[in-house]
């Protein structure tokens, strides 16, 4: 069971809001990234921070990443996404490693992404969210992690802006974990304003997933 202390949540919110950087106008995937040993990962990670892009501004309430498995070409994982007004979706994601820290998503996974992230509860298509998913599948994805405290997913939108999703092994990341994550973002030259995932306020929604 997840228990979110109200004082801890306020502290986290204040810390996130205190890092209001001027967002960079040009999005470039950095070079010289660290390799990741996927065999050492905790079993489950939870989305806590994001750039409030059209995907996270639509119907996605929160995400749980689990069952990381190293493959011959990279890594695969399961993703469970909760939605505000539609049923949850669980799907498999396959990453092909290009070089240390740089991955490409398998095109076969795109329909699952779009079904979960681009379709509205009314069955319509969110074009803005679809563009984010299309950019994700068309370009390189930076994955940065110390294999214990955080995972940063970062890629460039078609508007040449950073899209950043950050997950932690708990919905209650410590100040140390947040600091390590911010230091890594600054090291990579990724200056963005991040927002709290709504699931952090209501972690009980992940009961059973």
């Amino acid at each position: 069971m997840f228990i979110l202390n109200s004082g801890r949540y306020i502290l986290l919110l204040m810390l996130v809001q205190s890092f209001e950087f001027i967002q960079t106008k040009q999005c470039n995937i950095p070079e010289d990234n660290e390799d990741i040993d996927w065999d050492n990962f905790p079993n489950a990670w939870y989305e806590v921070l994001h750039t409030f892009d059209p995907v996270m501004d639509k119907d996605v309430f929160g995400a749980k990443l689990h069952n990381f498995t190293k493959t011959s070409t990279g890594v695969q994982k399961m993703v469970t996404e909760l939605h505000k007004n539609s049923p949850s979706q669980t799907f498999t994601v396959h990453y092909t490693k290009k070089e240390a820290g740089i991955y490409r998503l398998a095109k076969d996974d795109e329909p699952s992404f779009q079904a979960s992230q681009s379709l509205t509860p009314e069955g319509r298509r969110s074009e803005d969210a679809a563009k984010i998913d299309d950019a994700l599948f068309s370009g390189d994805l930076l994955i940065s992690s110390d294999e214990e405290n955080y995972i940063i997913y970062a890629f460039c939108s078609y508007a040449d802006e950073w899209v950043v999703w950050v997950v932690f092994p708990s919905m209650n990341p410590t100040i140390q974990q947040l600091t390590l994550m911010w230091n890594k973002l600054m090291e990579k030259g990724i200056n963005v304003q991040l927002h709290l995932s709504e699931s952090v306020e209501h972690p009980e929604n992940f009961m059973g997933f």
Side-chain angles (χ1 to χ4, degrees):
M1 180 176 181
F2 298 102
I3 301 175
L4 189 66
N5 180 277
S6 59
R8 185 96 171 264
Y9 171 74
I10 293 172
L11 180 61
L12 174 59
L13 181 61
M14 290 175 63
L15 180 63
V16 170
Q17 291 181 337
S18 69
F19 286 94
E20 294 187 359
F21 299 101
I22 299 175
Q23 187 163 351
T24 53
K25 295 297 182 182
Q26 188 173 13
C27 181
N28 291 310
I29 300 293
E31 300 177 354
D32 299 324
N33 300 295
E34 303 81 14
D35 211 348
I36 299 174
D37 184 356
W38 296 102
D39 290 328
N40 292 330
F41 268 53
N43 185 52
W45 298 76
Y46 301 90
E47 181 189 66
V48 175
L49 299 170
H50 57 74
T51 43
F52 205 62
D53 54 86
V55 168
M56 298 305 163
D57 186 29
K58 187 182 69 69
D59 188 38
V60 177
F61 185 81
K64 176 182 177 181
L65 283 53
H66 49 107
N67 291 27
F68 284 80
T69 305
K70 188 175 181 179
T71 67
S72 60
T73 57
V75 66
Q76 71 178 33
K77 69 183 180 186
M78 299 294 294
V79 176
T80 298
E81 289 187 338
L82 301 186
H83 302 108
K84 301 172 189 176
N85 303 303
S86 57
S88 63
Q89 298 278 349
T90 297
F91 50 95
T92 304
V93 182
H94 303 84
Y95 300 95
T96 298
K97 178 181 172 182
K98 288 185 60 181
E99 55 187 271
I102 305 297
Y103 294 81
R104 283 289 184 105
L105 273 77
K107 277 290 186 179
D108 290 346
D109 294 337
E110 190 167 11
S112 298
F113 264 80
Q114 292 192 338
S116 182
Q117 299 180 352
S118 302
L119 295 180
T120 67
E122 297 79 20
R124 301 188 184 95
R125 176 182 168 96
S126 169
E127 294 301 329
D128 289 338
K131 288 179 181 177
I132 293 295
D133 282 340
D134 188 54
L136 174 60
F137 279 87
S138 298
D140 291 337
L141 171 68
L142 170 68
I143 305 180
S144 185
S145 175
D146 66 355
E147 303 172 7
E148 181 180 0
N149 294 292
Y150 63 85
I151 311 175
I152 298 168
Y153 296 88
F155 61 98
C156 300
S157 72
Y158 287 139
D160 203 27
E161 295 178 343
W162 283 110
V163 178
V164 178
W165 301 330
V166 186
V167 299
F168 296 89
S170 166
M171 282 193 224
N172 295 291
T174 65
I175 299 302
Q176 180 185 10
Q177 288 174 322
L178 289 165
T179 301
L180 289 169
M181 181 274 300
W182 278 114
N183 288 343
K184 182 56 65 174
L185 280 177
M186 294 303 97
E187 177 187 315
K188 299 298 181 184
I190 302 175
N191 300 325
V192 292
Q193 182 176 352
L194 296 177
H195 301 260
L196 282 173
S197 172
E198 290 187 46
S199 60
V200 175
E201 300 179 57
H202 304 284
E204 67 277 1
N205 286 279
F206 271 110
M207 293 285 292
F209 288 99

